[in-house]
Amino acid sequence: MDEQTDKQHAEAGRFAAAVLAKLGTDVGKTEANASRRDWYLAVALAVRDRVVARWLEANAKVYEAGSKRVHYLSLEFLVGRLLAASLTSLGLLEAAREALAGLGIDLESLRAMEPDPALGNGGLGRLAACYMESMASLGVPAYGYGIRYENGLFRQALRDGWQQEYPEDWLMFGDPWEFSRPERSYPIGFGGYVERLSGVGETARQAWHPAEEVEAVAYDTPIPGWRGTHVNTLRLWSARAADPLRLEAFNRGDFVGALAGQMRAESISKVLYPSDATPAGKELRLRQEYFFTSASLQDLLRRHLSAGYALRNLPDKVAIQLNDTHPALAVAELMRLLVDIHDVPWTEAWDLTERCISYTNHTLLPEALESWPVPLLERLLPRPMQIIYVLNALHLAALRKMGRDDAALSAVSLIDEQDGRRVRMGHLAFLGSHKVNGVSKLHTELMRETVFRDLNALYPSRIVNKTNGIAFRRWLSEANPGLTRLIVDAVGERALDNSDALRGLAKLAADAAFCEQFAKMRRANKVALARLIRERSDVAVDPEALFDVQIKRIHEYKRQLLNILETIAFYEAIRARPAGNWVPRVKLFAGKAAPSYEQAKLIIKLANDVAKVVNHDPAVRGLLKVVFLANYNVSLAEAMIPASDLSEQISTAGMEASGTGNMKLALNGALTIGTLDGANIEIRDHVGEENLFIFGLTAEEVAARRGEGLDATTTIADSAILGEVLEAIGSGVFSPDDPGRYRGLVEAITHHDYFMVAADFDAYYATQRLIAERWRKPGQWWRMAVANTARMGWFNADRAIREYCEEIWGIEVGAAADPKA
């Protein structure tokens, strides 16, 4: 028995003892009467104890060293399940498995019962979680700030193929990973009026008298880094009424009215992205954004001052990163706190604000680049709106002195006067930041040329690029242990400490034996996914088929519709030529549509209608299966990504900022079919053009095509296939219960092809046929798959965080997240 095995056995013994102690003292159960949930809680608490010890030690070191901290403000943190993640980070996974097996408990069954924290929707939230993990791995002191949503975005279910939304109940039985911090609560004001105390202009002393106050109460979750060398804090805010019960109303018998204030306050932290289809929904979204932004800024200022630092030193100790425009009010709110609460002169406060804040833009889509009606801001946030007015006036006055005309001033104004007077939150974030970054090379270039063109002309060095990265250990060690073992056996365990070591796999792409092992590993993952598909959708799929996967938020620009059209074309081809040498394929879709996004929800229905027809057609003989898996989340991604053969990254060129799903899939050896959009371009540059499948219009060609008009009638007529597909959809072949269900969708493609679905269809269809030919050559396919895994190390979140530290935050980082480095 070697030394490593001895250590694991000893660790397993200690861990088993810790679990049993927690089961008795914290859960209040014995082995004889403990339920599976009791065992989960005992294990989680035993792991948490290990994390907390390192957390306290890390915090003490940060305070002692006076280190600069990152404060990462994000409306989403899609952290995923924490049990296996924490065990993996601490290097305890196998010891815990052995310990629990000795107690008659299966670790995997405990993992499966842990709910996914409903704290995000898609790439934005998962990126924030990846960056929190990487900052901890690199020893970068950080706080993540967000909202503790009680019911998340929504739990997606399918009823007759239609998306149904239900509340997530992830907190029903509490969260063993979090610590409530009632002593860390802050008042958040809304409404009321502003009183001028003295002075005029920006130097005037103002006092805001809110009509309503809500308490923001902190809940902390420790986030350990790789090998547990450092632990950071995710601090989420929960909304509470300052006066939870109006007793006089209750005693009058108005029981509902007595709780109205509590309900109004607590609605802030109930749901992520409440529908903004109504005025009340719009107001709630704005209340959420200000609520968590103000609480976070009050908290970091308290911490800074309590450590004995002066406010003039704030940029030396504090970096504030705005993850998209949701926390853009931080610019006005930090000014309010500095000027009104801490008596900092206006000019000095503005200098501190600019030097502390930086802003990540994630989208060029108008609906995501937020703007708020001026009257709403004036009513709900009168003092922050007043500060925005002053910032804008000083900003425009300085430009007018430089000789700028009215058109130029209008383009860079914080207030859009052309569309009912709205505050441009992207402009506000830009003006108040010392750096603004895009998340891929293409996206950053387009930011400079489009949405921030005029501001970029004024501040040409402000926009920088920081291509997204992923927590590669999470998507290898935890999600794909089979591939992880293969990698470690081939290039050593250092590959888990430093993703650059993955390059050592490149020479093995030509090794037939290694490629065979790679394929065997993939098949095992596909068998597991096939079992899950059968359990969730009652559809049997063949693990030998090509698993063609598109997993992302449902949106027209992400073009799930293009995928569905090609699926129909393939289905019709099989029926027309039953003797053809077809490659069996499983089309897998997953993702949520925003509750008020009717077109996206219609696309989900179409995918399910197509699945119903295809999966029950005996003429297809199992050559094609279509599955839409409901309620996509991190845990489902961890099951789907390792089993994917083909990664669909087919957004309209110029519309995807970066993407991170493309990185996770390629890291796990899936081959990409994609447009030259977002980070696909950089993935091509790293893995090699010969190891993925690129098709379609470029961003420049899309812009030119839109300039010529959006009618696609001629394009459809020139296609040998597309017209028949659209005719089948529009005539009700896939919706016999409602033949007209998709006529509007077909009309939109035909006469308003904004997302270039018709324009790119033929190229996409032809590329899919090329992929089928490549699949028939397994030696070539698996060489390409290995090459993808070997060359994706650059897309590591550690690399991205280093770049943020060096160019934006001004924080020094060590050589690697490798304790031996």
Side-chain angles (χ1 to χ4, degrees):
M1 192 176 295
D2 59 29
E3 183 181 352
Q4 187 63 35
T5 304
D6 286 343
K7 285 183 178 179
Q8 181 174 305
H9 288 335
E11 187 61 70
R14 289 190 292 270
F15 190 75
V19 169
L20 290 174
K22 289 295 176 184
L23 186 66
T25 59
D26 291 59
V27 183
K29 291 289 186 73
T30 65
E31 291 183 68
N33 64 5
S35 68
R36 199 155 61 102
R37 181 177 176 276
D38 294 329
W39 282 108
Y40 161 69
L41 285 174
V43 172
L45 293 171
V47 176
R48 191 182 76 167
D49 281 356
R50 303 287 188 98
V51 174
V52 167
R54 302 181 190 213
W55 188 28
L56 298 176
E57 181 183 350
N59 281 335
K61 287 181 178 178
V62 170
Y63 276 107
E64 183 180 348
S67 304
K68 185 174 185 178
R69 271 196 179 99
V70 176
H71 302 81
Y72 198 89
L73 275 62
S74 178
L75 205 57
E76 300 182 37
F77 284 95
L78 208 55
V79 294
R81 293 169 172 167
L82 294 176
L83 177 58
S86 298
L87 285 170
T88 302
S89 293
L90 297 176
L92 289 174
L93 186 63
E94 294 310 316
R97 195 186 308 279
E98 179 183 330
L100 293 174
L103 296 170
I105 303 297
D106 175 44
L107 175 60
E108 295 307 311
S109 69
L110 299 187
R111 286 179 63 178
M113 71 177 305
E114 181 181 7
D116 271 58
L119 299 172
N121 177 27
L124 183 79
R126 186 53 219 163
L127 181 79
C130 283
Y131 282 0
M132 286 299 295
E133 292 174 31
S134 278
M135 283 188 276
S137 295
L138 293 170
V140 176
Y143 267 79
Y145 282 116
I147 295 178
R148 181 180 179 264
Y149 303 103
E150 291 183 37
N151 299 116
L153 181 70
F154 58 84
R155 176 172 58 85
Q156 182 193 54
L158 297 174
R159 182 180 298 169
D160 191 29
W162 290 104
Q163 172 178 289
Q164 304 292 309
E165 300 101 23
Y166 300 96
E168 288 273 13
D169 57 0
W170 73 287
L171 285 173
M172 179 179 292
F173 301 110
D175 178 7
W177 303 102
E178 72 177 8
F179 293 83
S180 63
R181 305 293 195 201
E183 73 279 10
R184 295 287 175 247
S185 65
Y186 299 94
I188 311 299
F190 297 102
Y193 66 96
V194 179
E195 177 187 6
R196 184 171 65 82
L197 302 177
S198 63
V200 294
E202 70 272 15
T203 62
R205 295 276 297 126
Q206 307 280 0
W208 180 14
H209 302 280
E212 174 191 4
E213 278 195 352
V214 174
E215 288 185 3
V217 181
Y219 286 78
D220 289 353
T221 299
I223 305 295
W226 179 239
R227 300 196 187 279
T229 53
H230 185 83
V231 183
N232 280 325
T233 303
L234 176 60
R235 175 160 286 182
L236 303 177
W237 302 106
S238 186
R240 297 288 183 269
D243 184 8
L245 178 69
R246 291 174 51 218
L247 195 57
E248 75 284 357
F250 191 90
N251 288 332
R252 286 199 314 267
D254 184 8
F255 307 129
V256 174
L259 294 169
Q262 179 185 17
M263 293 170 62
R264 177 173 168 80
E266 293 183 1
S267 67
I268 291 174
S269 54
K270 286 289 184 185
V271 175
L272 168 64
Y273 300 136
S275 173
D276 58 359
T278 65
K282 286 185 174 67
E283 178 175 322
L284 179 55
R285 282 204 182 191
L286 182 58
R287 284 165 65 89
Q288 286 182 326
E289 293 182 4
Y290 180 71
F291 165 81
F292 99 93
T293 298
S294 178
S296 304
L297 294 176
Q298 290 183 62
D299 190 52
L300 69 88
L301 287 174
R302 174 202 57 78
R303 187 180 303 110
H304 180 80
L305 292 171
S306 67
Y309 302 121
L311 285 174
R312 66 176 178 274
N313 302 126
L314 195 65
D316 301 325
K317 301 297 180 182
V318 168
I320 301 169
Q321 188 69 37
L322 310 182
N323 193 30
D324 219 354
T325 54
H326 307 124
L329 282 166
V331 175
E333 179 64 4
L334 185 54
M335 287 294 293
R336 183 187 76 82
L337 293 171
L338 292 173
V339 172
D340 293 359
I341 307 302
H342 296 286
D343 297 321
V344 177
W346 180 278
T347 303
E348 182 182 346
W350 182 240
D351 176 65
L352 296 175
T353 296
E354 277 192 304
R355 290 166 60 200
C356 286
I357 293 177
S358 49
Y359 157 53
T360 301
N361 173 274
H362 283 280
T363 184
L364 305 175
L365 297 179
E367 67 268 26
L369 203 62
E370 290 182 312
S371 65
W372 292 105
V374 167
L376 175 60
L377 277 163
E378 288 178 329
R379 174 173 61 83
L380 196 65
L381 303 171
R383 179 54 177 154
M385 185 65 227
Q386 192 178 67
I387 290 171
I388 291 171
Y389 276 135
V390 175
L391 290 174
N392 198 41
L394 295 173
H395 167 55
L396 298 182
L399 295 178
R400 191 174 290 282
K401 284 183 179 179
M402 296 166 57
R404 307 283 177 167
D405 60 21
D406 287 345
L409 297 182
S410 176
V412 298
S413 173
L414 300 184
I415 299 172
D416 182 0
E417 305 283 355
Q418 309 301 316
D419 188 22
R421 301 194 71 225
R422 302 177 69 88
V423 176
R424 296 162 162 159
M425 304 310 286
H427 281 46
L428 177 63
F430 190 109
L431 190 67
S433 298
H434 64 279
K435 289 293 180 184
V436 176
N437 72 279
V439 290
S440 72
K441 285 183 179 179
L442 175 63
H443 171 236
T444 301
E445 291 168 7
L446 291 174
M447 279 172 57
R448 293 183 179 121
E449 296 169 3
T450 58
V451 292
F452 295 132
R453 180 189 62 191
D454 299 291
L455 285 167
N456 182 58
L458 296 175
Y459 307 98
S461 62
R462 188 163 296 188
I463 296 179
V464 295
N465 179 57
K466 295 287 164 280
T467 297
N468 283 344
I470 58 172
F472 81 103
R473 303 173 193 91
R474 177 76 177 245
W475 297 101
L476 282 178
S477 298
E478 186 177 339
N480 200 342
L483 177 57
T484 303
R485 286 191 293 271
L486 196 60
I487 290 170
V488 170
D489 288 345
V491 299
E493 195 166 316
R494 176 140 167 80
L496 301 179
D497 295 313
N498 189 331
S499 61
D500 289 345
L502 291 174
R503 295 173 187 162
L505 293 175
K507 63 180 181 296
L508 296 174
D511 185 323
F514 184 82
C515 289
E516 185 178 340
Q517 288 180 287
F518 199 99
K520 184 179 179 181
M521 171 276 304
R522 173 72 56 75
R523 190 185 187 283
N525 292 334
K526 291 167 73 173
V527 168
L529 179 58
R531 190 181 309 118
L532 184 147
I533 291 169
R534 187 63 180 262
E535 291 170 358
R536 294 198 180 187
S537 65
D538 199 30
V539 177
V541 300
D542 182 3
E544 300 298 333
L546 191 159
F547 278 24
D548 181 345
V549 177
Q550 189 171 19
I551 42 177
K552 52 186 75 244
R553 178 168 54 95
I554 309 299
H555 198 291
E556 288 168 277
Y557 88 85
K558 293 180 182 287
R559 297 203 297 190
Q560 285 90 354
L561 183 55
L562 177 61
N563 192 347
I564 296 168
L565 297 185
E566 191 276 333
T567 301
I568 295 171
F570 183 43
Y571 165 66
E572 296 291 359
I574 293 172
R575 282 161 43 94
R577 299 189 297 281
N581 185 22
W582 304 111
V583 168
R585 191 178 294 234
V586 178
K587 287 273 192 174
L588 294 172
F589 297 87
K592 296 179 180 180
S596 58
Y597 193 173
E598 295 302 329
Q599 195 78 333
K601 294 170 84 167
L602 188 63
I603 290 170
I604 292 175
K605 174 61 173 169
L606 177 59
N608 283 286
D609 278 349
V610 171
K612 186 187 299 184
V613 171
V614 170
N615 296 345
H616 292 91
D617 188 340
V620 176
R621 296 158 302 158
L623 291 170
L624 175 63
K625 291 290 180 73
V626 182
V627 180
F628 191 105
L629 289 171
N631 206 39
Y632 184 60
N633 56 20
V634 175
S635 297
L636 183 54
E638 288 174 340
M640 296 184 74
I641 287 172
S644 300
D645 295 312
L646 187 65
S647 165
E648 297 272 355
Q649 308 299 329
I650 58 176
S651 54
T652 310
M655 299 195 73
E656 183 72 82
S658 172
T660 52
N662 48 3
M663 301 172 190
K664 296 160 195 163
L665 284 152
L667 175 67
N668 279 271
L671 304 190
T672 299
I673 176 171
T675 51
L676 289 175
D677 194 27
N680 290 352
I681 298 171
E682 288 154 275
I683 291 175
R684 176 202 62 182
D685 295 342
H686 281 266
V687 307
E689 197 165 12
E690 70 280 7
N691 291 313
L692 75 175
F693 304 93
I694 296 296
F695 75 96
L697 301 175
T698 64
E700 294 81 6
E701 290 167 339
V702 167
R705 187 84 169 229
R706 286 173 177 163
E708 296 167 2
L710 298 175
D711 190 277
T713 304
T714 302
T715 301
I716 295 167
D718 290 343
S719 171
I721 301 170
L722 181 55
E724 293 180 5
V725 171
L726 294 176
E727 173 62 25
I729 296 171
S731 64
V733 169
F734 299 97
S735 55
D737 58 319
D738 182 6
R741 180 180 296 146
Y742 301 114
R743 283 177 192 154
L745 189 150
V746 171
E747 285 293 308
I749 295 172
T750 305
H751 300 297
H752 192 78
D753 190 26
Y754 184 80
F755 298 101
M756 302 293 134
V757 172
D760 274 347
F761 175 83
D762 279 356
Y764 179 59
Y765 186 83
T767 304
Q768 287 284 20
R769 306 289 73 76
L770 173 63
I771 288 166
E773 290 302 315
R774 195 66 53 86
W775 179 258
R776 288 195 181 95
K777 301 172 182 176
Q780 190 172 359
W781 184 278
W782 295 111
R783 281 198 301 274
M784 295 169 68
V786 172
N788 270 262
T789 297
R791 300 174 184 176
M792 283 299 295
W794 186 83
F795 296 92
N796 175 9
D798 292 355
R799 181 268 314 158
I801 291 299
R802 288 183 194 285
E803 293 180 2
Y804 276 95
C805 286
E806 291 167 8
E807 192 171 355
I808 296 178
W809 300 333
I811 294 175
E812 291 187 9
V813 187
D818 180 357
K820 300 184 292 293

